[in-house]
Amino acid sequence: MAAAAPSTSRLLHHHQTTTGYKRQQQRLRYSANPSHLALRRHSSCRLSPAGALLPDRVTPFSYGGDDESDDHPREECGLVGIVGDPDAASLCYLGLQKLQHRGEEGAGIVAVGGDGKLKSVTGLGLVADVFGDPSRLASLPGPAAIGHVRYSTAGAAASLRNVQPFLAGYRFGQVAVAHNGNLVNYQALRNKLEARGSIFNTTSDTEVILHLIATSLSRPLLARICDACERLAGAYSLLFLTADKLFAVRDPHGFRPLVLGRRPNGAVAFASETCALDLIDATYEREVEPGEVVMVDRRDMSVSSACLVPRLPRRACVFEHIYFSLPNSVVFSHDVHERRTAFGRALAEESPVPDADVVIPVPDSGFYAALGFSRESGLEFQQGLIRWHYSGRSFIQPTQAIRDLAVKLKLAPVHGVIRGKSVVVVDDSLVRGTTSSKIVRLLREAGAREVHMRIASPPVVGSCLYGIDTPSDGELISNRMDLEGVRQEIGSDSLAFLSLDKLHGIYGAEAGDYCDACFSRKYPVLPTLPEPTSEFEEEE
């Protein structure tokens, strides 16, 4: 987004001092094109040396090692927002169903009723479980709603109080927020807010945002949102809902996706992925740009836009293309299935297995990478593993032997495809190695002559700081072992990863626009350690 023209009006900020309030006149004109908000930077956000900020456990996440049958990273949440449709809550429900892969621990919807009051329904479990009782959706009538599905980031996994959207009241009315991402300065901000008297009801980093809005001295709400987001560091795609407006916000680096679409009746929709827009007959228009605030006024359905801060280097999460997003989505302006097919082709170029008989994917996310590998190598593509989607989580079983049998329920080999064959198995990523080792064992038991593992992404050597549930560095197998050590650990005849250089080559000139810290340990934004001095100290 371009910098503001000199004629751009300014935003009104109030800064508290020991002698009273210093007021700086800053006004904002809403416009169809993003404008620039000159927001001051806080000196208390200075970062310490990286070595002190990247211990073995760099995230507050609970990866879920109790379910060893699936060691993929997990996305943290998905967002849907609708404004201008009388069935907004029902559309949110459908959109959340489509984004279920982004979070399975809890779901919720907040809607604006005809009386202008916001009402919330949240619950633990899948979307269909939370809203299985039709009366729950029926209790959310109105023309605007936001919804959320979650995995836990900062906050206890199975706690109803952490299920979003959060709904709060403050002196100017009600506001609800839904958040996808992770704030790397959450604890520092929370410590300072608590020192000023704030009381927290959850352990989620998202609640900090509400406190920052409530304590801001700026007006109107757009200014409060901008003031709050100025203090945030890390990844955040946000939806805010009030009685008459819906706001969509994306962090200045654009780590997490957020898109805008429009239904045939003119209703405006936001979602984490375009697949949710497709389901509710909303035509995809564009991304919410990094650092942008989009405001929709439901009274006249006007759409306006502004910039939070000067645009920072774009750092979109590359794992959205590798694993998280559904293949029928457009994410960061690229078709996901095309990206994955390209990863597979590049992997076949870089690490072929010319004497193999068949290429099979690890379902479901390895499908398009395996298809690309097959096309590039000329090897036959077959569905050699069948995933059963209804088996539950294996950690509930009482013994390791029973858990191993539960893995066979989740992934069943097709013996006719595998028996006597040299098999290339293509997966999207290899994190802890637990899934890969069990797949290799399954294939050998099914009669495979050779098993060659090919991974359509580089080795994962660093935990994510920006809203993805990954193990600690010590649990990442490629961080603990070299390539041969990993191969021996999983038991395959050969093993190869897509190189980081090859991955960058696929993106070409856009390679620098993607965050690959999990592969390179080059973190665009480092955590801010709590400091004894408050960011909100009164100015002299």
Side-chain angles (χ1 to χ4, degrees), residues 61-73:
F61 308 155
S62 173
Y63 177 71
D66 48 5
D67 185 8
E68 294 184 351
S69 63
D70 187 0
D71 69 344
H72 288 97

Side-chain angles (χ1 to χ4, degrees), residues 339 499-509 511:
R339 293 285 93 174
S499 71
L500 188 56
D501 286 343
K502 199 74 169 178
L503 180 69
H504 288 167
I506 292 169
Y507 285 97

Side-chain angles (χ1 to χ4, degrees), residues 98 271 273-284 328-330:
K98 197 65 176 180
E273 294 182 35
T274 59
C275 63
L277 299 182
D278 295 339
L279 179 63
I280 62 173
D281 292 331
T283 301
Y284 167 65
N328 59 323
S329 285
V330 176

Side-chain angles (χ1 to χ4, degrees), residues 187-417:
Q187 196 59 58
L189 289 172
R190 176 164 177 158
N191 288 356
K192 293 165 185 175
L193 284 163
E194 288 180 325
R196 291 286 302 273
S198 293
I199 298 173
F200 284 78
N201 295 315
T202 76
T203 58
S204 169
D205 58 345
T206 308
E207 191 178 2
V208 163
I209 302 170
L210 289 174
H211 282 272
L212 291 174
I213 289 173
T215 57
S216 170
L217 298 173
S218 300
R219 294 282 301 276
L221 179 59
L222 175 60
R224 288 175 172 269
I225 290 173
C226 293
D227 195 36
C229 289
E230 182 194 15
R231 294 168 165 85
L232 305 180
Y236 52 91
S237 287
L238 300 164
L239 294 178
F240 295 94
L241 183 65
T242 67
D244 53 20
K245 294 182 177 65
L246 190 152
F247 300 85
V249 184
R250 204 157 161 226
D251 71 76
H253 285 293
F255 286 106
R256 308 257 61 85
L258 189 61
V259 295
L260 181 155
R262 198 178 296 268
R263 283 176 44 78
N265 63 359
V268 177
F270 297 92
S272 293
E273 294 182 35
T274 59
C275 63
L277 299 182
D278 295 339
L279 179 63
I280 62 173
D281 292 331
T283 301
Y284 167 65
E285 292 189 354
R286 66 177 181 88
E287 289 186 80
V288 176
E289 292 294 328
E292 184 183 12
V293 185
V294 178
M295 185 184 74
V296 185
D297 191 323
R298 74 175 181 89
R299 295 168 297 187
D300 59 8
M301 292 303 297
S302 62
V303 180
S304 54
S305 175
C307 284
L308 283 174
V309 292
R311 186 167 182 171
L312 299 175
R314 188 182 179 100
R315 292 294 183 266
C317 174
V318 72
F319 241 104
E320 290 284 351
H321 288 158
I322 291 170
Y323 174 68
F324 298 129
S325 299
L326 289 184
N328 59 323
S329 285
V330 176
V331 173
F332 307 135
S333 301
H334 289 285
D335 289 303
V336 174
H337 79 278
E338 290 183 354
R339 293 285 93 174
R340 291 179 185 168
T341 303
F343 299 153
R345 285 186 178 276
L347 184 60
E349 292 175 0
E350 198 170 43
S351 302
V353 190
D355 297 327
D357 300 309
V358 65
V359 177
I360 68 171
V362 175
D364 294 311
S365 57
F367 181 89
Y368 283 99
L371 190 62
F373 192 103
S374 170
R375 289 174 176 173
E376 182 64 30
S377 64
L379 298 174
E380 181 184 10
F381 175 88
Q382 287 279 1
Q383 194 78 19
L385 290 167
I386 304 300
R387 179 178 289 276
W388 182 251
H389 294 275
Y390 311 103
S391 60
R393 302 182 71 185
S394 63
F395 72 86
I396 65 175
Q397 306 299 337
T399 67
Q400 185 60 47
I402 298 299
R403 285 195 293 270
D404 288 342
L405 293 178
V407 173
K408 292 185 178 181
L409 181 59
K410 287 189 173 183
L411 281 176
V414 182
H415 292 263
V417 172

